[in-house]
Amino acid sequence: MVATLTDRIAAVQEQIAQAAQRVGRSAESVTLIAVSKTHAPDVIAAAYDAGLRHFGENRSDELAAKAAALTGLPDLRWHFIGTLQSRQTQAVADHADVFHAVDRLKIARRLSRQLEEAGRTLPVFVEVNVSGEGSKSGFSAERWEDDADQRAALHDVCATIADLPRIELRGLMTMAPWDAPEATLRSVFRRTRALADWLRQAVPQGDWSALSMGMSDDFTLAIEEGATHVRVGRAIFGERVY
Ligand SMILES: *Cc1c(COP(=O)(O)O)cnc(C)c1O
């Protein structure tokens, strides 16, 4: 028997609840973001009907098109989770409810200006690269515990972002390496959480309470290590077309 979308959503929600329970947290402390990139608006509408409200996109043109196609669904929240180029910030300023991947000051500054014009505010996560993998975007944080210069750079960039008008800091986002052993994944998540704890002291004008980490293959580990937002695509929608 082929699992339906509703079955897969229920299975992911059950795994979230169990992972949270293992570490004494409530299921409600975790926001499930269904990563709907490449999937059509009618598939998103079906997931919405099954109870999901948070959807993740990683291309600005796709976000704009889907937001336009699905304006009628109350409480639907768009999370932009991808790397953003300068010329693409307007779509995020116009349509995103949360932006997970601030990885350059220039992007944050542009968004801040465009949000001001649009009369909106935008909750954001600062993306950090704690694994040091070259393919990962995000501010360098692979040696943050031992390297005072890297820590100072992170401090300065986070303090600058925290002071930008219309940008509401919420916490850190990270991507774990592909196909890594469990111990490595846990270490990446744990070190990201520790960095957020450090930032809470170092940049107290920001809110560092949220942690966006964990995808289809590792979201239960991420929750055990403190994730408050998990970004799950394939486990809900199946394999992507591209
Ligand atoms: C695609 C994507 C995800 C979801 O990945 P799955 O493996 O399909 O769960 C999560 N985060 C980001 C930034 C992504 O681009």
Side-chain angles (χ1 to χ4, degrees):
M1 215 179 77
V2 180
T4 65
L5 179 65
T6 315
D7 295 337
R8 290 192 300 256
I9 291 170
V12 167
Q13 285 171 329
E14 179 60 24
Q15 285 176 279
I16 289 173
Q18 286 175 2
Q21 194 181 35
R22 284 197 287 278
V23 290
R25 299 175 55 194
S26 70
E28 292 70 40
S29 70
V30 181
T31 299
L32 169 59
I33 298 162
V35 177
S36 47
K37 62 191 187 196
T38 79
H39 298 289
D42 61 324
V43 178
I44 299 174
Y48 179 94
D49 287 340
L52 297 186
R53 291 294 178 269
H54 299 267
F55 294 90
E57 293 289 335
N58 73 338
R59 289 165 54 146
S60 56
D61 49 351
E62 219 175 310
L63 169 70
K66 290 178 183 176
L70 292 166
T71 43
L73 302 180
D75 300 333
L76 187 155
R77 294 281 174 266
W78 292 110
H79 295 250
F80 196 80
I81 62 174
T83 300
L84 205 50
Q85 305 303 321
S86 295
R87 66 185 189 297
Q88 302 167 334
T89 53
Q90 189 67 55
V92 168
D94 288 341
H95 302 293
D97 296 293
V98 186
F99 178 40
H100 289 245
V102 175
D103 63 352
R104 278 161 295 157
L105 261 184
K106 183 182 175 191
I107 296 296
R109 287 201 173 103
R110 262 182 89 92
L111 276 173
S112 176
R113 276 197 305 275
Q114 291 168 336
L115 289 161
E116 188 114 51
E117 283 161 21
R120 307 179 60 217
T121 60
L122 184 67
V124 306
F125 291 78
V126 172
E127 182 176 358
V128 290
N129 179 353
V130 303
S131 71
E133 262 195 319
S135 60
K136 296 274 181 284
S137 43
F139 292 102
S140 297
E142 67 281 358
R143 300 182 309 277
W144 78 265
E145 298 94 335
D146 307 318
D147 181 338
D149 291 341
Q150 187 165 83
R151 228 168 22 242
L154 283 165
H155 169 275
D156 291 352
V157 90
C158 288
T160 305
I161 294 168
D163 291 337
L164 287 173
R166 305 284 173 168
I167 299 274
E168 294 177 3
L169 258 175
R170 286 295 153 82
L172 296 180
M173 180 274 222
T174 204
M175 308 261 288
W178 281 114
D179 246 359
E182 177 175 330
T184 307
L185 296 170
R186 282 193 190 275
S187 156
V188 165
F189 296 143
R190 203 171 292 159
R191 293 178 56 220
T192 302
R193 182 183 184 171
L195 176 55
D197 290 341
W198 179 75
L199 284 165
R200 197 166 292 128
Q201 316 289 321
V203 186
Q205 67 271 40
D207 173 2
W208 300 103
S209 56
L211 286 169
S212 171
M213 50 191 201
M215 317 193 347
S216 287
D217 296 329
D218 55 24
F219 69 88
T220 59
L221 299 181
I223 290 166
E224 289 177 16
E225 300 298 345
T228 61
H229 292 67
V230 292
R231 311 178 307 266
V232 180
R234 289 166 301 127
I236 290 174
F237 296 110
E239 292 299 325
R240 282 182 285 278
V241 200
Y242 59 81

